[in-house]
């Protein structure tokens, strides 16, 4: 595929469930820690997302479905009426600018701390995070999570379904279930964090069970055409060691392929990876791919070439993170070949107010 042909495809409209997207570039979910301590989205967040409404789709930052699922300070949640109302202000602001949003649902599992949530984290097994964790008091040693009981599992599945209904009430078009990046669902998939001997642990077909049950419950709650799932095969963030990546994802995709979900979202996607290629072969629906960009800078083209490679490898939509973070008008810059802003301060990605959040410059449309 030539650069010109791929560039045309990346700006072509695409269908996603009941949605028609104006092009194939999606804003990836980006934790920005700008909510209140109680997890309520703020008016500043409405401004931030509305600035980026030209994305084909915005996947809003991870929101916790219950109090014990909280990971870090000042992240969003979606389990109370105040959360619903806060998010409704955000979705209305984005819709007023012509945009579309879905909400990522994330339970941190062992990635949490009593100093943040007031609760002992829960996880598949009592295996602590092998590193310190950020809390309101700074970085502190992680704690041993409590192993989830059968009742914990049932109530957590129900919490995800309730959170999905709350998201629709808040004005989102759908939800993305987060089964990546070392959080709770990923912890059930991985051999080093799931040491259970019951129906949720051991062989791969048991380790995928919790993820499938969550996806099914969410799909039943709001309709499968409004539900996506995010995975990150082989990703070792938050101390994850899957052990048998090549077996986990074919089994998971096989279990979910007939459910009619809106999409599967592959994080850290490598078009040359046999696992990515197998997922594309086995997944019958829309595939979103999130490329690995250089850590030290945003590519001059905003990630366009990386996206084109993934489209050529079979992806349907391309999710970009930092390029949208630093460029509210990323789509205009990509279409015109204009220079892109770089992230000014990595620290401000995760803390602060307007600075490093809503103050990135846009191009003069008349220039």
């Amino acid at each position: 595929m030539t650069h010109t042909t791929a560039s045309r495809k990346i700006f072509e409209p695409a269908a996603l469930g009941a949605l028609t997207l104006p092009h194939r570039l999606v804003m990836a979910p980006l934790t920005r820690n700008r909510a209140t301590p109680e997890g309520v989205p703020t008016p500043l967040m409405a401004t931030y997302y509305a600035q980026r409404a030209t994305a084909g789709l915005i996947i809003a930052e991870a929101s916790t479905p219950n109090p014990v699922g909280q990971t870090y300070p000042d992240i969003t949640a979606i389990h109370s009426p105040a959360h619903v109302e806060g998010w409704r202000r955000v979705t209305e602001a984005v819709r007023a600018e012509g945009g579309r949003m879905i909400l990522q649902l994330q339970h941190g599992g062992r990635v949490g701390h009593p100093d943040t949530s007031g609760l002992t984290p829960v996880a598949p097994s009592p295996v602590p995070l092998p590193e310190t964790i950020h809390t309101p008091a700074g970085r502190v040693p992680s704690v041993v999570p409590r192993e989830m009981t059968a009742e914990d599992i049932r109530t957590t599945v129900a919490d995800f379904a309730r959170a999905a209904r709350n998201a629709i009430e808040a004005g989102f078009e759908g939800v993305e279930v987060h089964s990546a990046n070392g959080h709770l669902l990923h912890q059930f998939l991985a051999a080093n964090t799931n040491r259970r001997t019951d129906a949720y642990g051991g062989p791969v077909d048991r380790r995928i069970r919790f993820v499938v049950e969550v996806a099914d419950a969410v799909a039943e709650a709001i309709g499968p055409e409004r539900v996506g799932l995010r995975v990150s095969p082989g990703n070792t963030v938050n101390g994850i060691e899957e052990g048998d990546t090549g077996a986990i994802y074919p089994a998971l995709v096989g279990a979910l392929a007939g459910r009619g979900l809106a999409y599967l979202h592959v994080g850290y996607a490598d078009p040359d990876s046999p696992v990515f290629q197998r997922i594309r072969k086995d997944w019958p629906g829309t595939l979103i791919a999130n490329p690995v960009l250089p850590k030290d800078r945003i590519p001059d083209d905003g990630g366009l070439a990386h996206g084109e490679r993934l489209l050529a490898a079979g992806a349907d939509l391309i999710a970009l993170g930092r390029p949208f973070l630093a460029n509210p008008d990323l789509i205009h810059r990509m279409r015109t070949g204009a220079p892109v802003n770089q992230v000014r301060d990595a620290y401000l990605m995760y803390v602060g107010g307007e600075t490093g959040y809503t103050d990135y410059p846009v191009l003069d449309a008349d220039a």
Side-chain angles (χ1 to χ4, degrees):
M1 183 177 288
T2 67
H3 179 88
T4 302
T5 302
S7 294
R8 282 203 301 268
K9 182 176 182 181
I10 211 166
F11 292 119
E12 287 177 355
L16 181 67
L19 298 176
T20 298
L21 309 185
H23 52 78
R24 296 171 186 266
L25 289 160
V26 173
M27 181 175 168
L30 295 160
T31 295
R32 302 304 308 274
N33 304 77
R34 258 70 173 193
T36 70
E38 296 74 31
V40 178
T42 61
L44 184 63
M45 291 175 57
T47 299
Y48 166 77
Y49 281 112
Q51 288 175 341
R52 289 153 180 82
T54 54
L57 175 72
I58 294 174
I59 306 176
E61 62 202 80
S63 287
T64 55
N66 57 26
V68 76
Q70 183 177 0
T71 51
Y72 307 113
D74 304 328
I75 67 163
T76 61
I78 187 67
H79 54 79
S80 80
H83 300 143
V84 171
E85 182 57 34
W87 273 123
R88 186 180 292 118
R89 289 192 293 267
V90 177
T91 61
E92 288 175 350
V94 169
R95 191 170 288 111
E97 295 296 325
R100 295 142 297 276
M101 295 187 81
I102 65 174
L103 180 65
Q104 187 183 73
L105 305 180
Q106 172 192 274
H107 189 302
R110 70 176 185 170
V111 185
H113 198 278
D115 289 354
T116 301
S117 67
L119 301 166
T120 299
V122 296
S125 301
V127 181
L129 191 70
E131 55 199 60
T132 60
I133 186 168
H134 185 66
T135 73
R139 296 202 71 88
V140 301
S142 60
V143 299
V144 177
R146 180 173 62 80
E147 179 171 314
M148 294 174 73
T149 65
E151 178 62 20
D152 290 328
I153 289 174
R154 284 192 293 272
T155 58
T156 302
V157 170
D159 288 343
F160 269 96
R162 189 177 303 108
R165 289 191 290 269
N166 286 345
I168 299 303
E169 184 181 346
F172 288 98
E173 306 288 352
V175 300
E176 175 176 282
V177 175
H178 196 21
S179 183
N181 295 15
H183 297 293
L184 180 65
L185 275 66
H186 201 183
Q187 291 161 29
F188 269 90
L189 296 178
N192 75 318
T193 46
N194 185 347
R195 301 178 183 175
R196 303 176 73 95
T197 57
D198 63 1
Y200 292 90
V204 165
D205 63 334
R206 293 182 182 178
R207 299 209 312 270
I208 68 172
R209 179 178 173 180
F210 180 66
V211 178
V212 173
E213 288 184 356
V214 170
D216 280 347
V218 171
E220 182 178 357
I222 64 173
E225 73 283 355
R226 289 181 161 184
V227 180
L229 180 78
R230 190 172 202 247
V231 296
S232 56
N235 185 7
T236 60
V237 70
N238 286 319
I240 284 291
E241 297 175 11
E242 292 173 342
D244 42 11
T245 301
I248 291 171
Y249 293 94
L252 181 62
V253 170
L256 293 173
R259 265 36 181 211
L261 300 184
Y263 68 83
L264 184 65
H265 182 180
V266 180
Y268 306 91
D270 177 359
D272 299 322
S273 161
V275 174
F276 177 82
Q277 293 168 1
R278 175 69 185 270
I279 288 173
R280 176 65 287 181
K281 176 176 176 291
D282 293 351
W283 182 251
T286 298
L287 187 67
I288 303 178
N290 174 214
V292 180
L293 301 182
K295 291 183 179 180
D296 59 337
R297 64 177 283 107
I298 298 170
D300 292 341
D301 65 356
L304 188 60
H306 288 76
E308 289 171 349
R309 285 190 63 215
L310 284 165
L311 287 177
D316 299 294
L317 303 170
I318 305 302
L320 297 173
R322 286 174 295 138
F324 274 110
L325 181 158
N327 295 272
D329 56 347
L330 179 66
I331 303 305
H332 176 61
R333 291 173 188 263
M334 283 184 162
R335 287 184 184 274
T336 60
V340 296
N341 300 321
Q342 295 295 323
V343 174
R344 291 196 300 263
D345 186 336
Y347 176 75
L348 295 175
M349 290 170 61
Y350 302 108
V351 67
E354 297 178 4
T355 304
Y357 190 60
T358 55
D359 65 342
Y360 278 98
V362 298
L363 294 172
D364 182 349
D366 298 325

